Amino acid sequence: MRIILTIAWRNLREHKVKTLIIGLIMMIGIMVLVVGNSFMDSAAAGIERYYIQNYTGHLMITGESKGYLTLFGFQDMTAMERAVPRIPDYAEVVEYARTLPYVEMVNPQLSANAMVSRGDEMLGITQLFGIVPDDYHAMFADNVELLAGDFWGPGEQGILLNKVVAEMIEKQIGFTLRPGDKLLFTSASTITGMRIREVEIAGIFQFKQSNIQLDMVSLMDVSNVRALAGMVVGHAAPVDLSPEEQSFLGAIDEESLFDSFGSLDALFAPVEVEGESIGDDYWFSLLGETESRDLSNVEDTGAWQYLLIRLTDESYLKQAQVDFAKFFAEHNIPAQTRDWMQAAGSIAQLSNGVKGIFNGVVFLIAVVAVIIIMNTLVISVTERMGEIGTMRAIGAQKGFVRRMVVWETLILSGIAGTIGVVLGSLVLFILNRIGLEAGNMFVEIIYGGPVLRPELSVSSVILSFVVILVVGIVSSIYPTAIVMKTSPLKAMESSR
Amino acid sequence: MNKMRFLSAALVLCFLAAGFVVPAKAQDFSHIEAILERLDRQSRFENTDFSSVLTMVVEDQEKGIEKMVVRQFRRDDGERFLLLIQEPITEKGQGYLLEGDNLWFYDPSSRQFAHTSLKETFQGSDARNADFGSNSYSSSYEVEGYLEGTLGNFEVYIIDLKAVDDTVPFPFVKLWVTKDSDLVLKTEEYSLTYRLMRTGLYPKYTKVGNVVIPVQMIFVDELVEGNKTQISVSEISVNDIPDHVFTKAYIERVNR
């Protein structure tokens, strides 16, 4: 072994130019990997930190449902077709959550989308988070920066309008919105139909750390959000259908529907046309009593869509998921947990996607590096064909020669990699000091905030060494095969 | 030299061939356009008001089966209608008031009106607000083509229409219209990307004076399998409706 290492080291020193070229490629590759992966890890950690601390907590409990349910509602093709489910047996779920020693805090929330209007004028849209100010404040203490007004008080109603939404509205109405102004909010869900609420602006705010999705979020009292989301105590009465109505339930065969009519006349139904004139009383009593309607539309105060949970430590996440799943199963509660990443929605996942793309680019660079290094090694090995032939002639086995070439590559990888890591760390140190400012919204999403200060991540160093090791070994396979194919006699002749 | 001659000859032949191509004859859609005009005309109550009760059965994969009862008042001369919801109880008193180009929605629980659009879905059903007024095929669409075919026992024109503006719910519509009686039996409505969004079936009609109205309609949601709405029309009347019924004040008052 010592002999192999000595020969490998001697070979590297003997062929300084080639060693330098391959070493340089490896060093630059490692440096790019260390910087790039640390950069992406810092961004991902930043996004995770700011979502957990400011928006989602570690865990989100929702009613059981398939599909991509986030804190912003469903974010898939079915978004308009489905209502966010309520958490069944909410009181029981909260009580259980509070008994768990690793649960630091809980915060219930609601979500709805609403069009904003004033008088006859449609002014824009906003995403609404229905919150209880005290609970929200306790969990996300440093997230909201009030620019005007304040949260509404206990038992009061109101909206904290996001600065971005407020500016969008102000552009159209031509004056500045102030606390005390009233706006109309109309929800238009295909599930719950339309609902309107007039809500007073309690204040204008901005999230301290935000992005394009969060800029559209305003905070509203839960009563109004429940009303807009159709979360009322009343339920539709059981449906009583006539035989004809029942006949049209389920799938319909269009051809046979119109086959059943023998002639055109059969398409015409004998409908009685009322002829009697109607008095004024009729028009004003059309609806009959409306008291039972009003009672049905009373807010369902126990209805919540999300329960956000902050753990004392992130390491309890798996345990929490298991404990809640067991609790839901034992108590037959159709609810489930989702982690912060699912809760955060598409924008947070976008940064993860960017990391995937970056890794893809790294893979491509690695393939190119393998080809270049392999090519250089082939030349290096071919030039030493005579020397290798002599070694084989005086008794060196094939395995000896193969190990020699591989060790040459490994030594080179080790040295170049270490230098690459050191240089990469230096670059990261400088970037960390300077801080990278996001020039636009897209970069801000990737950074997870307006400024990114990348830090050296251990995983990126390990990954980089693994990559360079694999590159080294893979790129030495072909040159070694060439050497092995050539007979010692031919190899010695080629050196003359 | 030979090559040059060959190239020149080929070029001349190309030009000649281009000259002999017969320009595609613009298809004559005048008889189809006449059908659309008749469809529009026979759907409008020109000299009378119209009122009825709409019973809607909504099949929804999420919500199950729901029933809605809606009072409909129409005054086509003046482009007005009022839809007043009577059932289910949680939506009782909600109303849609069309005044010319403006469609208002009224929510009795907040006593507020808000603008909405004829293009929107009606109360989470598969019907659109535009389904409750008279037709506007001839003014809102242009004919793109047509075929002759059959639907069940009936010979029909299958007419492809393209919207001329964005006031209608769907930019592309296909109509199955009976040849001898101008009845729309089926519609298919498509998105801008020509994705089928909704199928409408009209198996029953009635005649009130000169006006022909469907009294049974089925709207099938083509995006979510199993979602469907059937509407039947009853208690039809062409008696005069007081002017005040088509006002915001009336909806507020009837809800007290």
Side-chain angles (χ1 to χ4, degrees), chain A residues 58 97 100-106 138-139 309-313:
Chain A
H58 292 96
L100 296 170
Y102 51 77
V103 169
E104 189 185 343
M105 222 171 279
V106 296
M139 191 145 167
I309 291 174
R310 178 179 288 169
L311 306 173
T312 49
D313 192 280

Side-chain angles (χ1 to χ4, degrees), chain A residues 241-259:
Chain A
L241 300 179
S242 70
E244 194 178 30
E245 285 166 341
Q246 281 177 19
S247 71
F248 286 120
L249 293 179
I252 286 182
D253 179 4
E254 292 163 12
E255 284 290 326
S256 62
L257 180 68
F258 293 106
D259 254 348

Side-chain angles (χ1 to χ4, degrees), chain A residues 106-291:
Chain A
V106 296
N107 169 50
Q109 257 181 236
L110 297 164
S111 86
N113 287 300
M115 291 174 281
V116 190
S117 58
R118 197 171 186 274
D120 294 357
E121 216 176 342
M122 187 65 75
L123 302 168
I125 52 166
T126 183
Q127 168 96 46
L128 298 167
F129 281 180
I131 60 154
V132 178
D134 287 348
D135 291 345
Y136 190 81
H137 242 319
M139 191 145 167
F140 306 123
D142 297 324
N143 192 27
V144 171
E145 183 182 350
L146 284 165
L147 304 172
D150 204 344
F151 279 90
W152 53 95
E156 291 176 358
Q157 297 185 351
I159 183 169
L160 273 188
L161 208 58
N162 195 306
K163 183 190 163 198
V164 177
V165 178
E167 283 171 353
M168 185 174 72
I169 295 169
E170 284 164 359
K171 248 185 209 171
Q172 294 186 64
I173 55 177
F175 62 86
T176 309
L177 288 169
R178 292 178 203 291
D181 290 345
K182 286 179 177 173
L183 291 169
L184 274 188
F185 294 85
T186 308
S187 67
S189 153
T190 54
I191 298 294
T192 55
M194 288 179 80
R195 305 271 171 170
I196 310 169
R197 279 294 176 279
E198 189 181 46
V199 186
E200 190 175 303
I201 298 173
I204 314 278
F205 82 106
Q206 65 182 12
F207 287 122
K208 285 181 186 165
Q209 272 198 299
S210 188
N211 61 37
I212 190 168
Q213 186 176 30
L214 293 161
D215 279 347
M216 295 309 290
V217 173
S218 298
L219 305 174
M220 190 184 264
D221 71 275
V222 289
S223 290
N224 277 314
V225 176
R226 282 198 187 110
L228 289 166
M231 300 169 94
V232 293
V233 292
H235 295 285
V239 175
D240 183 22
L241 300 179
S242 70
E244 194 178 30
E245 285 166 341
Q246 281 177 19
S247 71
F248 286 120
L249 293 179
I252 286 182
D253 179 4
E254 292 163 12
E255 284 290 326
S256 62
L257 180 68
F258 293 106
D259 254 348
S260 56
F261 299 107
S263 66
L264 194 67
D265 290 342
L267 279 177
F268 283 90
V271 175
E272 206 172 295
V273 178
E274 293 175 2
E276 237 174 82
S277 290
I278 303 160
D280 267 1
D281 287 352
Y282 166 83
W283 295 105
F284 293 108
S285 59
L286 257 181
L287 288 178
E289 62 87 23
T290 52
E291 200 179 329

